[in-house]
Amino acid sequence: ASDWTTVACGYERTSALLDDGSLWTWGLNYHDDLGVGDAHDRLTPTQVGGASDWAAVACGYDYTLAVKRDRTLWAWGSNDAGQLGLGDTKERHTPIRVGGASDWTTVACGYQYSLGVKNDGSLWAWGYNDGGQLGLGDTDDRHTPTRVGRVSDWVGVACDFTVTLGLRKDGSLWAWGGNGFGQLGLGDTRDRLTPTRVGSASDWAAVACGYDFALAVKKDGSLWAWGHNYVGQLGLGDTTTRLTPSRVGTANDWASVSCGDGDTLAAKTNGTLWAWGFNGNGELGLGDTKERHTPTEVGSGSP
């Protein structure tokens, strides 16, 4: 039997990889975001095509990007702002290869915009750009991958509605795009059109973006949060917005973090899962619909 290795969530839909390299999807399919050739919703996992060489997948608001093991990039779904990177704004109903490059390593999807890192550490962006979230120094959309700056030491990128965060090889954290609630972590609410360094720390290990807020894990296992906090999604015990990274509790065993519209999930190194923020639809998995303002363990602990 095969095991699941990777999962990605978009707007009311999910994509996931099995260890045999097959790609599966389910959920809402209004723009054929699922890539299965039609516009019918799927209530159970359905394979995308017949390929078994997928290596990574990312879901945007209504589209999907994926990388194959040969490092080619593929896209499908809605394409109103050119977020598929195919040079036009036509939606696609099945996976279509993006350009001729075979050196993609990481991709991230936001609200109708995309970013990716190549083998050489260069960063590329395309799609919607009203808040400068592509990091290209302007607010013009791009319909094909366009290089962001000239540095070649990017190792990771995360994005959501209009905020983008990037990690460089030296452990520094960079932010750009919309900043109305301080979600860039730069101490103010001014948008940035190009990557701007967040503080002076060089020990960041992982980042995640939510809707107007962000969280990140440092190499020492500490968790940090900033931006909009109207439902306690920062996990700081209140609903006060933060303009710079603020430490979440005192624990030093956080391993990874993921953000939604107003909810946050994070895993610790012992395998326990924790959740906080908005919970009106039970998205925290805590058995009720009450929001939480601090990390709360989901279930009984380790699987």
Side-chain angles (χ1 to χ4, degrees):
S2 298
D3 293 322
W4 299 103
T5 61
T6 304
V7 64
C9 298
Y11 178 69
E12 295 186 346
R13 63 196 170 80
T14 306
S15 295
L17 297 179
L18 285 173
D19 59 5
D20 64 3
S22 61
L23 175 61
W24 298 73
T25 190
W26 59 98
L28 186 67
N29 197 27
Y30 179 69
H31 290 284
D32 196 38
D33 321 59
L34 301 185
V36 292
D38 59 50
H40 300 302
D41 297 348
R42 296 300 196 278
L43 302 183
T44 56
T46 302
Q47 188 170 358
V48 179
S52 294
D53 58 350
W54 297 103
V57 63
C59 292
Y61 178 75
D62 52 8
Y63 72 103
T64 305
L65 297 177
V67 178
K68 288 192 173 184
R69 291 174 179 171
D70 64 2
R71 297 304 177 186
T72 57
L73 178 62
W74 299 70
W76 58 97
S78 181
N79 194 31
D80 294 344
Q83 61 264 41
L84 299 187
L86 299 170
D88 56 45
T89 56
K90 300 176 183 177
E91 64 184 47
R92 300 303 200 280
H93 297 169
T94 55
I96 303 293
R97 183 170 175 180
V98 180
S102 298
D103 56 354
W104 296 98
T105 60
T106 302
V107 289
C109 300
Y111 178 76
Q112 298 186 338
Y113 76 103
S114 310
L115 287 102
V117 179
K118 290 190 174 185
N119 283 341
D120 64 0
S122 60
L123 180 64
W124 299 72
W126 58 100
Y128 195 43
N129 193 34
D130 69 323
Q133 57 265 46
L134 299 187
L136 299 171
D138 56 47
T139 56
D140 299 327
D141 295 352
R142 301 299 199 282
H143 294 170
T144 56
T146 304
R147 185 163 181 178
V148 180
R150 305 309 306 170
V151 300
S152 295
D153 61 353
W154 297 99
V155 295
V157 64
C159 52
D160 194 75
F161 191 66
T162 61
V163 57
T164 306
L165 297 176
L167 286 176
R168 292 174 63 176
K169 190 175 181 180
D170 63 2
S172 60
L173 175 63
W174 299 70
W176 58 99
N179 193 33
F181 294 93
Q183 58 265 42
L184 299 186
L186 299 171
D188 57 50
T189 56
R190 293 186 293 107
D191 295 352
R192 300 301 198 281
L193 302 184
T194 56
T196 303
R197 186 166 182 175
V198 180
S200 59
S202 295
D203 57 351
W204 297 102
V207 292
C209 295
Y211 186 78
D212 290 338
F213 72 104
L215 284 97
V217 179
K218 287 192 174 184
K219 293 177 181 178
D220 65 1
S222 60
L223 181 64
W224 299 72
W226 59 97
H228 206 9
N229 192 32
Y230 69 104
V231 286
Q233 60 264 52
L234 300 187
L236 299 169
D238 56 44
T239 56
T240 303
T241 292
R242 302 300 200 282
L243 302 184
T244 56
S246 299
R247 186 165 180 178
V248 181
T250 59
N252 282 91
D253 57 353
W254 296 102
S256 62
V257 63
S258 180
C259 305
D261 276 0
D263 57 296
T264 306
L265 294 174
K268 290 193 173 187
T269 54
N270 64 0
T272 55
L273 179 65
W274 299 70
W276 58 98
F278 183 70
N279 194 32
N281 300 302
E283 46 265 80
L284 300 186
L286 299 171
D288 57 46
T289 56
K290 300 176 182 178
E291 66 185 50
R292 303 298 200 282
H293 295 172
T294 56
T296 303
E297 188 173 354
V298 179
S300 59
S302 302

